[in-house]
Amino acid sequence: MSVFTLCLFLWPWLSSIHGLEFRYHNSMEMEQYLKDVNRRFPDITHLHSIGKSVEGRELWVLILGQHPREHRTGIPEFKYVGNMHGNEAVGRVLLLQLIDYLTSSYLSDPLATRLLNSSRVHILPSMNPDGFESSARECTNTKGRYNKNGVDLNRNFPDVFESTTDREREKEVRAVMDWLKTESFVLSANLHGGAVVASYPYDNSNGGSELQGGLSISPDDDVFVHLAQTYSYSHSDMHNENSCSDLQDFSQGITNGYHWYPLPGGMQDYNYVWAQCFELTLEISCCKYPPEAQLPGLWAANKPALLAYMQQVHLGVKGVVMDSYGKPVQNAVVEIAERRNICPFRTDRNGEYYRLLLPGNYTIKVTNPGHKTLTQTVQVPYGPSAFSALTQNFLLQNSDYSSTATQLPQSCTTPDPGIQESDSATLLPSVFTTLTLFLLQRLLMLS
């Protein structure tokens, strides 16, 4: 047996003892590591590819949780995306370290265990593997930033503030757009480098009512500011405002994306407007491609923040909307009073909805054609401390008159990424538990 073959044989065993090495793993090494993790932890991980890059590299996603292969009702979906710009390599490293921590600490570390037991975590370490492979190991060089076609992936998504329907979507962007159709993500972040700040939507504006004092403000601005502050104050340095001496100061280590600089075609706005997924852009290192000796320190600075941010997926309220027969209702509009989202939040194919909200009293309105409008005021606690949002289910009643359900604007039609979407969605088995409880509740009320 050659030394090289022996190393390949022993590497999984050695890595399980000493942890993942702090260095930049190339695409082949990263793939091998993810496959090894999936092999060693089959009960809490599931590895799949959401597509391929221009040069044919797989876009690997590792799912972690108690039930990694399927969604379960009431369990929110969370994701991290790294290396969207190929030369911003720290996020790629940190997400691999996060995978190593979560898998090796499950059932022994209370936080890791509760996170994976209460949510389903999706990690895409590298959205732009082609760019990474062509990058120069320099702090400010742009070599490798773009994909193989020379396109900035963070300027290639549909933009609700601009007419970009005729723009060709890159393979990596199309893969992410299709991915967002297969999962009902609640919270997300994409990791970048070149600054240390948490940026939140909107990234763009067309000069409408969202533009206020130089900021492009979303209807959920309070939640976004809280999310950004959660990451910033859980980070060792980000909240100190001037972590990178040659860049501008960011008060509390956060910024509205548009206020920093207008960014058309960005991924975080697309997630929020069209996928109902709250997303931040996390700039996590002053140097885009720092020396490997700095990686342990960057992990130590970001680890508490990465974990605290994941826990925020439990903010607010969640539930299932059903019709009078107890059947989940898809596409019912679930609105929070005084929050006029560009695209109203709707229930998914399992009748579920999730709304990230800070603690307080809120009025929820549920509308669906052919049913009476339901309005309910709820008191929302701080869900992250209990690792669960407030559960508020709705049972719709048939209406004798034509419904005045919220009409979705034309701009809310999910843009076509250029790939045929699968229509093989099936009702989740776990939904029937909720249906049974509701039917029993109704029978008791009638008795």
Side-chain angles (χ1 to χ4, degrees), residues 162-310:
E162 295 186 3
S163 178
T164 59
T165 55
D166 58 343
R167 181 179 301 172
E168 182 179 353
R169 309 296 166 201
E170 294 301 302
K171 287 189 68 174
E172 298 88 349
V173 169
R174 295 201 306 267
V176 170
M177 291 175 66
D178 278 341
W179 184 31
L180 294 178
K181 292 181 180 181
T182 66
E183 303 286 354
S184 298
F185 290 111
V186 178
L187 181 61
S188 172
N190 69 90
L191 279 59
H192 290 251
V196 177
V197 65
S199 176
Y200 59 90
Y202 293 123
D203 271 333
N204 203 8
S205 169
N206 58 9
S209 60
E210 76 283 346
L211 193 58
Q212 302 175 29
L215 284 71
S216 188
I217 302 296
S218 77
D220 295 292
D221 188 67
D222 59 337
V223 179
F224 277 119
V225 169
H226 166 79
L227 292 170
Q229 288 175 337
T230 295
Y231 196 93
S232 177
Y233 280 92
S234 300
H235 188 281
S236 63
D237 301 312
M238 189 177 285
H239 59 278
N240 291 328
E241 301 183 8
N242 189 16
S243 299
C244 304
S245 58
D246 58 334
L247 297 176
Q248 70 184 78
D249 294 344
F250 296 103
S251 178
Q252 301 182 78
I254 69 174
T255 185
N256 174 261
Y258 181 86
H259 183 68
W260 189 9
Y261 57 88
L263 191 160
M267 185 164 69
Q268 72 176 9
D269 282 6
Y270 180 81
N271 268 265
Y272 175 55
V273 172
W274 277 298
Q276 303 183 173
C277 175
F278 286 55
E279 179 166 291
L280 297 189
T281 298
L282 301 174
E283 303 279 353
I284 55 173
S285 62
C286 300
C287 180
K288 294 182 178 182
Y289 208 137
E292 290 179 336
Q294 296 180 16
L295 295 178
L298 288 166
W299 168 241
N302 283 277
K303 177 186 175 182
L306 290 166
L307 298 174
Y309 186 76
M310 291 169 64

Side-chain angles (χ1 to χ4, degrees), residues 35-99:
K35 288 180 176 179
D36 176 58
V37 168
N38 187 215
R39 179 187 59 80
R40 289 191 289 127
F41 302 97
D43 293 336
I44 59 168
T45 66
H46 173 61
L47 181 65
H48 70 113
S49 171
I50 61 169
K52 292 185 177 182
S53 67
V54 174
E55 292 188 320
R57 294 183 174 90
E58 300 286 353
L59 302 178
W60 292 110
V61 171
L62 188 74
I63 308 176
L64 304 97
Q66 268 193 323
H67 305 283
R69 290 168 181 78
E70 63 177 358
H71 174 74
R72 294 297 178 97
T73 301
I75 301 297
E77 306 286 342
F78 176 93
K79 66 180 167 72
Y80 273 132
V81 176
N83 205 207
M84 186 181 197
H85 292 144
N87 65 326
E88 298 172 14
V90 175
R92 177 185 173 114
V93 172
L94 297 195
L95 291 184
L96 293 179
Q97 289 293 333
L98 180 63
I99 289 170

